[in-house]
Amino acid sequence: MSTEGGTRAIVAALTANLGIAATKFVAFLLTGSSSMLAESIHSLADSGNQLLLLVGGRRADRAATPEHPFGYGRQRYVYAFIVSIVLFSVGGLFALYEGFDKWRHPEAIEGHWWWVPLVVLVIAIGLEGYSFRTAITEANRTRGTRGWVDYVRTAKSPELPVVLLEDAAALLGLVLALLGVGLTLLTHDGRWDALGTGLIGVLLVVVAGILAVEMNSLLIGESASREQVAAIEAALVGGAVQRVIHMKTLHLGPEELLVAAKIAVGPQERALAVAEAIDAAERRVRAAVPIARVIYLEPDVDRVPRGAESGRRG
């Protein structure tokens, strides 16, 4: 995923959520609906999350330093992990508390402004739909043939998966709020409103958990994809490089890959020829996998006889 595409999706989501949060809060003040309060806090939390993603992207662009020689690319994962914490605490736990409190002390939605929550929720669904559509369009540029679940699980850039999950949760939350408010208006029983609020809380906690698990994996360090590993191994072999003895890869950030490999060269090769072979292999790898920016190759004499199993380790 390009950084530009992720930023476009984040800005679209931020713009939508700021407007939605304001209108939801006004609706809460006019009606006292707990679903509207939970949804306004949800949208406010989402707005803060999108600001966190923008800040993380900016901080990750800093140049490497002696203290951090591999750069700051993983800060995008750090800020995305903070997003999951905010979504869990500010969004999910607050909605669960508010739903439980309103279930114990239900209040019907009455007065001249009873229709405001319905109008606000319908408008909010339209705005969130626009944000969700923008995120889907940007994700489709790099998703390829992967399904949506696989895309969220395997994407190395955190911004679009985060926005996709947040927008999907926001749309489903709005539907739950609409049902809770609508049933409360029909039955004059405030427990429907409380139930909708509680379900929104459960939804946000689940989404926050999914985000935390995925960002934790990226923070620990993930390797290149199978396709990229195969392309790198194929590109390394050539000239004086006879085979790859073993190789490890690690994402230093969404668009930066570390490649460390032990390569086999012939026993008769001179030092200059080996150095030239390593330079050529690095160029081939970067042509095959452009994000392989940091490459360390260790040459070793190929001790496997001709015709022996090529998979033997050196």
Side-chain angles (χ1 to χ4, degrees):
M1 183 202 77
S2 68
T3 304
E4 180 183 353
T7 301
R8 189 179 300 114
I10 294 170
V11 171
L14 176 61
T15 303
N17 278 314
L18 285 174
I20 292 170
T23 54
K24 287 176 181 175
F25 193 69
V26 170
F28 160 71
L29 292 176
L30 292 175
T31 63
S33 167
S34 64
S35 291
M36 295 308 302
L37 178 59
E39 274 297 305
S40 62
I41 297 300
H42 176 192
S43 294
L44 191 61
D46 282 352
S47 300
N49 288 341
Q50 277 116 40
L51 286 173
L52 284 171
L53 292 176
L54 290 173
V55 171
R58 292 291 298 274
R59 292 183 64 83
D61 286 339
R62 290 178 294 169
T65 65
E67 186 178 2
H68 297 91
F70 292 111
Y72 294 84
R74 286 196 186 181
Q75 282 217 304
R76 289 166 67 180
Y77 303 148
V78 173
Y79 277 80
F81 187 81
I82 294 174
V83 164
S84 69
I85 297 173
V86 172
L87 196 63
F88 177 82
S89 57
V90 178
L93 293 185
F94 176 82
L96 287 173
Y97 170 79
E98 183 68 15
F100 177 73
D101 183 63
K102 290 298 183 181
W103 182 268
R104 294 175 57 199
H105 309 288
E107 297 178 3
I109 300 175
E110 297 175 344
H112 299 296
W113 303 104
W114 61 268
W115 51 273
V116 171
L118 299 177
V119 174
V120 168
L121 288 170
V122 170
I123 294 173
I125 289 173
L127 291 174
E128 285 289 1
Y130 162 75
S131 174
F132 194 37
R133 181 176 177 275
T134 301
I136 290 174
T137 300
E138 296 300 331
N140 280 334
R141 300 180 189 277
T142 54
R143 184 169 63 94
T145 58
R146 287 177 290 178
W148 286 109
V149 173
D150 190 39
Y151 173 74
V152 170
R153 294 192 62 185
T154 60
K156 306 304 181 189
S157 297
E159 291 83 4
L160 274 180
V162 169
V163 173
L164 284 168
L165 284 174
E166 281 191 343
D167 284 352
L171 282 171
L172 185 53
L174 287 168
V175 172
L176 291 173
L178 189 61
L179 287 173
V181 170
L183 289 172
T184 297
L185 290 172
L186 287 174
T187 63
H188 299 286
D189 186 350
R191 285 179 296 181
W192 288 110
D193 191 24
L195 180 61
T197 305
L199 290 175
I200 291 170
V202 172
L203 173 67
L204 295 182
V205 167
V206 170
V207 171
I210 294 172
L211 282 177
V213 169
E214 295 304 320
M215 293 308 114
N216 176 66
S217 178
L218 290 168
L219 279 171
I220 292 173
E222 291 188 356
S223 66
S225 66
R226 293 180 180 178
E227 294 78 11
Q228 289 173 328
V229 169
I232 292 170
E233 289 181 339
L236 283 173
V237 178
V241 180
Q242 297 178 354
R243 66 187 179 92
V244 177
I245 299 173
H246 60 75
M247 183 181 75
K248 293 183 179 180
T249 62
L250 178 69
H251 268 275
L252 301 175
E255 284 93 32
E256 189 169 15
L257 190 65
L258 168 67
V259 178
K262 192 170 188 178
I263 55 176
V265 297
Q268 306 302 321
E269 298 293 344
R270 295 179 177 272
L272 179 60
V274 171
E276 291 175 346
I278 289 175
D279 292 341
E282 289 179 350
R283 288 193 294 270
R284 293 194 300 270
V285 169
R286 291 191 174 99
V289 182
I291 66 171
R293 299 178 184 174
V294 182
I295 303 174
Y296 296 108
L297 301 179
E298 177 189 353
D300 194 7
V301 175
D302 193 354
R303 298 180 178 86
V304 178
R306 295 291 181 180
E309 183 181 356
S310 61
R312 177 181 167 185
R313 296 296 182 187

mmCIF file of all heavy atoms in Angstrom, residues 88-111:
data_model
loop_
_atom_site.group_PDB
_atom_site.id
_atom_site.type_symbol
_atom_site.label_atom_id
_atom_site.label_comp_id
_atom_site.label_asym_id
_atom_site.label_seq_id
_atom_site.Cartn_x
_atom_site.Cartn_y
_atom_site.Cartn_z
ATOM 1 N N PHE A 88 -10.462 0.396 22.430
ATOM 2 C CA PHE A 88 -10.927 -0.500 23.487
ATOM 3 C C PHE A 88 -11.414 0.278 24.705
ATOM 4 O O PHE A 88 -12.501 0.012 25.231
ATOM 5 C CB PHE A 88 -9.786 -1.437 23.893
ATOM 6 C CG PHE A 88 -10.126 -2.357 25.038
ATOM 7 C CD1 PHE A 88 -10.824 -3.534 24.811
ATOM 8 C CD2 PHE A 88 -9.737 -2.047 26.327
ATOM 9 C CE1 PHE A 88 -11.140 -4.374 25.869
ATOM 10 C CE2 PHE A 88 -10.045 -2.890 27.385
ATOM 11 C CZ PHE A 88 -10.747 -4.056 27.158
ATOM 12 N N SER A 89 -10.609 1.240 25.137
ATOM 13 C CA SER A 89 -10.914 1.947 26.387
ATOM 14 C C SER A 89 -11.936 3.064 26.190
ATOM 15 O O SER A 89 -13.018 3.049 26.798
ATOM 16 C CB SER A 89 -9.630 2.505 27.007
ATOM 17 O OG SER A 89 -8.958 3.357 26.089
ATOM 18 N N VAL A 90 -11.604 4.031 25.339
ATOM 19 C CA VAL A 90 -12.483 5.194 25.163
ATOM 20 C C VAL A 90 -13.786 4.804 24.472
ATOM 21 O O VAL A 90 -14.864 5.297 24.830
ATOM 22 C CB VAL A 90 -11.756 6.297 24.358
ATOM 23 C CG1 VAL A 90 -12.678 7.490 24.131
ATOM 24 C CG2 VAL A 90 -10.486 6.728 25.077
ATOM 25 N N GLY A 91 -13.706 3.916 23.485
ATOM 26 C CA GLY A 91 -14.913 3.527 22.764
ATOM 27 C C GLY A 91 -15.657 2.373 23.403
ATOM 28 O O GLY A 91 -16.799 2.501 23.835
ATOM 29 N N GLY A 92 -14.990 1.191 23.487
ATOM 30 C CA GLY A 92 -15.669 -0.018 23.919
ATOM 31 C C GLY A 92 -16.094 -0.019 25.374
ATOM 32 O O GLY A 92 -17.272 -0.254 25.685
ATOM 33 N N LEU A 93 -15.157 0.247 26.282
ATOM 34 C CA LEU A 93 -15.489 0.187 27.705
ATOM 35 C C LEU A 93 -16.495 1.254 28.100
ATOM 36 O O LEU A 93 -17.386 1.008 28.923
ATOM 37 C CB LEU A 93 -14.209 0.321 28.543
ATOM 38 C CG LEU A 93 -13.213 -0.836 28.443
ATOM 39 C CD1 LEU A 93 -12.066 -0.634 29.417
ATOM 40 C CD2 LEU A 93 -13.891 -2.180 28.688
ATOM 41 N N PHE A 94 -16.377 2.450 27.499
ATOM 42 C CA PHE A 94 -17.350 3.499 27.812
ATOM 43 C C PHE A 94 -18.754 3.087 27.378
ATOM 44 O O PHE A 94 -19.729 3.282 28.120
ATOM 45 C CB PHE A 94 -16.962 4.813 27.132
ATOM 46 C CG PHE A 94 -17.969 5.912 27.346
ATOM 47 C CD1 PHE A 94 -17.961 6.664 28.498
ATOM 48 C CD2 PHE A 94 -18.944 6.164 26.384
ATOM 49 C CE1 PHE A 94 -18.917 7.659 28.707
ATOM 50 C CE2 PHE A 94 -19.890 7.157 26.574
ATOM 51 C CZ PHE A 94 -19.874 7.906 27.734
ATOM 52 N N ALA A 95 -18.873 2.533 26.163
ATOM 53 C CA ALA A 95 -20.188 2.126 25.679
ATOM 54 C C ALA A 95 -20.770 1.007 26.543
ATOM 55 O O ALA A 95 -21.972 0.988 26.828
ATOM 56 C CB ALA A 95 -20.088 1.678 24.219
ATOM 57 N N LEU A 96 -19.928 0.054 26.978
ATOM 58 C CA LEU A 96 -20.412 -1.023 27.847
ATOM 59 C C LEU A 96 -20.912 -0.466 29.171
ATOM 60 O O LEU A 96 -21.964 -0.882 29.686
ATOM 61 C CB LEU A 96 -19.295 -2.037 28.082
ATOM 62 C CG LEU A 96 -18.949 -2.946 26.897
ATOM 63 C CD1 LEU A 96 -17.711 -3.779 27.215
ATOM 64 C CD2 LEU A 96 -20.124 -3.854 26.550
ATOM 65 N N TYR A 97 -20.168 0.466 29.748
ATOM 66 C CA TYR A 97 -20.591 1.077 31.011
ATOM 67 C C TYR A 97 -21.902 1.846 30.832
ATOM 68 O O TYR A 97 -22.819 1.727 31.651
ATOM 69 C CB TYR A 97 -19.508 2.015 31.527
ATOM 70 C CG TYR A 97 -19.970 2.871 32.687
ATOM 71 C CD1 TYR A 97 -20.026 2.345 33.980
ATOM 72 C CD2 TYR A 97 -20.367 4.189 32.478
ATOM 73 C CE1 TYR A 97 -20.479 3.121 35.044
ATOM 74 C CE2 TYR A 97 -20.819 4.967 33.537
ATOM 75 C CZ TYR A 97 -20.877 4.435 34.808
ATOM 76 O OH TYR A 97 -21.321 5.201 35.858
ATOM 77 N N GLU A 98 -21.979 2.644 29.773
ATOM 78 C CA GLU A 98 -23.172 3.441 29.531
ATOM 79 C C GLU A 98 -24.386 2.543 29.285
ATOM 80 O O GLU A 98 -25.490 2.811 29.791
ATOM 81 C CB GLU A 98 -22.947 4.363 28.330
ATOM 82 C CG GLU A 98 -24.096 5.308 28.016
ATOM 83 C CD GLU A 98 -24.294 6.381 29.072
ATOM 84 O OE1 GLU A 98 -23.379 6.582 29.907
ATOM 85 O OE2 GLU A 98 -25.363 7.008 29.072
ATOM 86 N N GLY A 99 -24.195 1.458 28.532
ATOM 87 C CA GLY A 99 -25.295 0.533 28.283
ATOM 88 C C GLY A 99 -25.774 -0.139 29.556
ATOM 89 O O GLY A 99 -26.986 -0.281 29.781
ATOM 90 N N PHE A 100 -24.828 -0.561 30.408
ATOM 91 C CA PHE A 100 -25.199 -1.198 31.674
ATOM 92 C C PHE A 100 -25.948 -0.228 32.578
ATOM 93 O O PHE A 100 -26.960 -0.588 33.210
ATOM 94 C CB PHE A 100 -23.935 -1.708 32.382
ATOM 95 C CG PHE A 100 -24.192 -2.328 33.724
ATOM 96 C CD1 PHE A 100 -24.783 -3.577 33.825
ATOM 97 C CD2 PHE A 100 -23.848 -1.657 34.895
ATOM 98 C CE1 PHE A 100 -25.032 -4.150 35.067
ATOM 99 C CE2 PHE A 100 -24.092 -2.223 36.131
ATOM 100 C CZ PHE A 100 -24.680 -3.474 36.228
ATOM 101 N N ASP A 101 -25.473 1.023 32.629
ATOM 102 C CA ASP A 101 -26.116 2.022 33.477
ATOM 103 C C ASP A 101 -27.532 2.330 32.996
ATOM 104 O O ASP A 101 -28.469 2.433 33.802
ATOM 105 C CB ASP A 101 -25.273 3.297 33.497
ATOM 106 C CG ASP A 101 -25.847 4.357 34.425
ATOM 107 O OD1 ASP A 101 -25.913 4.107 35.646
ATOM 108 O OD2 ASP A 101 -26.235 5.438 33.920
ATOM 109 N N LYS A 102 -27.705 2.466 31.684
ATOM 110 C CA LYS A 102 -29.030 2.778 31.140
ATOM 111 C C LYS A 102 -29.979 1.575 31.236
ATOM 112 O O LYS A 102 -31.196 1.744 31.271
ATOM 113 C CB LYS A 102 -28.906 3.227 29.682
ATOM 114 C CG LYS A 102 -28.251 4.591 29.507
ATOM 115 C CD LYS A 102 -29.059 5.695 30.168
ATOM 116 C CE LYS A 102 -28.440 7.067 29.921
ATOM 117 N NZ LYS A 102 -29.208 8.146 30.577
ATOM 118 N N TRP A 103 -29.408 0.360 31.243
ATOM 119 C CA TRP A 103 -30.266 -0.818 31.418
ATOM 120 C C TRP A 103 -30.848 -0.840 32.824
ATOM 121 O O TRP A 103 -32.004 -1.213 33.039
ATOM 122 C CB TRP A 103 -29.452 -2.097 31.164
ATOM 123 C CG TRP A 103 -30.268 -3.344 31.266
ATOM 124 C CD1 TRP A 103 -30.469 -4.131 32.364
ATOM 125 C CD2 TRP A 103 -31.017 -3.964 30.207
ATOM 126 N NE1 TRP A 103 -31.293 -5.182 32.076
ATOM 127 C CE2 TRP A 103 -31.641 -5.122 30.755
ATOM 128 C CE3 TRP A 103 -31.223 -3.665 28.862
ATOM 129 C CZ2 TRP A 103 -32.437 -5.959 29.995
ATOM 130 C CZ3 TRP A 103 -32.025 -4.506 28.104
ATOM 131 C CH2 TRP A 103 -32.620 -5.631 28.665
ATOM 132 N N ARG A 104 -30.046 -0.422 33.809
ATOM 133 C CA ARG A 104 -30.516 -0.368 35.191
ATOM 134 C C ARG A 104 -31.483 0.794 35.397
ATOM 135 O O ARG A 104 -32.405 0.702 36.219
ATOM 136 C CB ARG A 104 -29.330 -0.219 36.143
ATOM 137 C CG ARG A 104 -28.402 -1.428 36.162
ATOM 138 C CD ARG A 104 -27.192 -1.151 37.038
ATOM 139 N NE ARG A 104 -27.596 -0.796 38.402
ATOM 140 C CZ ARG A 104 -26.805 -0.170 39.263
ATOM 141 N NH1 ARG A 104 -25.593 0.206 38.894
ATOM 142 N NH2 ARG A 104 -27.241 0.106 40.481
ATOM 143 N N HIS A 105 -31.278 1.879 34.664
ATOM 144 C CA HIS A 105 -32.135 3.054 34.802
ATOM 145 C C HIS A 105 -32.611 3.493 33.409
ATOM 146 O O HIS A 105 -32.164 4.508 32.890
ATOM 147 C CB HIS A 105 -31.370 4.189 35.478
ATOM 148 C CG HIS A 105 -30.686 3.787 36.758
ATOM 149 N ND1 HIS A 105 -31.379 3.531 37.920
ATOM 150 C CD2 HIS A 105 -29.374 3.587 37.035
ATOM 151 C CE1 HIS A 105 -30.527 3.193 38.878
ATOM 152 N NE2 HIS A 105 -29.304 3.226 38.367
ATOM 153 N N PRO A 106 -33.496 2.719 32.796
ATOM 154 C CA PRO A 106 -33.928 3.032 31.425
ATOM 155 C C PRO A 106 -34.737 4.319 31.351
ATOM 156 O O PRO A 106 -35.493 4.655 32.261
ATOM 157 C CB PRO A 106 -34.785 1.818 31.039
ATOM 158 C CG PRO A 106 -35.275 1.265 32.346
ATOM 159 C CD PRO A 106 -34.181 1.528 33.338
ATOM 160 N N GLU A 107 -34.536 5.028 30.248
ATOM 161 C CA GLU A 107 -35.267 6.267 30.003
ATOM 162 C C GLU A 107 -35.781 6.259 28.568
ATOM 163 O O GLU A 107 -35.015 6.009 27.633
ATOM 164 C CB GLU A 107 -34.367 7.485 30.216
ATOM 165 C CG GLU A 107 -33.848 7.641 31.638
ATOM 166 C CD GLU A 107 -32.928 8.829 31.780
ATOM 167 O OE1 GLU A 107 -32.747 9.552 30.770
ATOM 168 O OE2 GLU A 107 -32.367 9.032 32.870
ATOM 169 N N ALA A 108 -37.054 6.553 28.413
ATOM 170 C CA ALA A 108 -37.630 6.619 27.066
ATOM 171 C C ALA A 108 -37.176 7.908 26.378
ATOM 172 O O ALA A 108 -36.803 8.887 27.033
ATOM 173 C CB ALA A 108 -39.149 6.568 27.144
ATOM 174 N N ILE A 109 -37.188 7.878 25.046
ATOM 175 C CA ILE A 109 -36.849 9.069 24.263
ATOM 176 C C ILE A 109 -38.145 9.803 23.961
ATOM 177 O O ILE A 109 -39.002 9.320 23.221
ATOM 178 C CB ILE A 109 -36.132 8.686 22.949
ATOM 179 C CG1 ILE A 109 -34.838 7.926 23.268
ATOM 180 C CG2 ILE A 109 -35.831 9.927 22.119
ATOM 181 C CD1 ILE A 109 -34.138 7.400 22.039
ATOM 182 N N GLU A 110 -38.308 10.977 24.558
ATOM 183 C CA GLU A 110 -39.547 11.714 24.411
ATOM 184 C C GLU A 110 -39.241 13.180 24.114
ATOM 185 O O GLU A 110 -38.082 13.593 24.060
ATOM 186 C CB GLU A 110 -40.382 11.592 25.685
ATOM 187 C CG GLU A 110 -40.815 10.163 26.010
ATOM 188 C CD GLU A 110 -41.533 10.070 27.333
ATOM 189 O OE1 GLU A 110 -41.427 11.029 28.123
ATOM 190 O OE2 GLU A 110 -42.193 9.034 27.581
ATOM 191 N N GLY A 111 -40.288 13.940 23.904
ATOM 192 C CA GLY A 111 -40.121 15.368 23.652
ATOM 193 C C GLY A 111 -40.244 15.706 22.181
ATOM 194 O O GLY A 111 -40.464 14.839 21.317
#
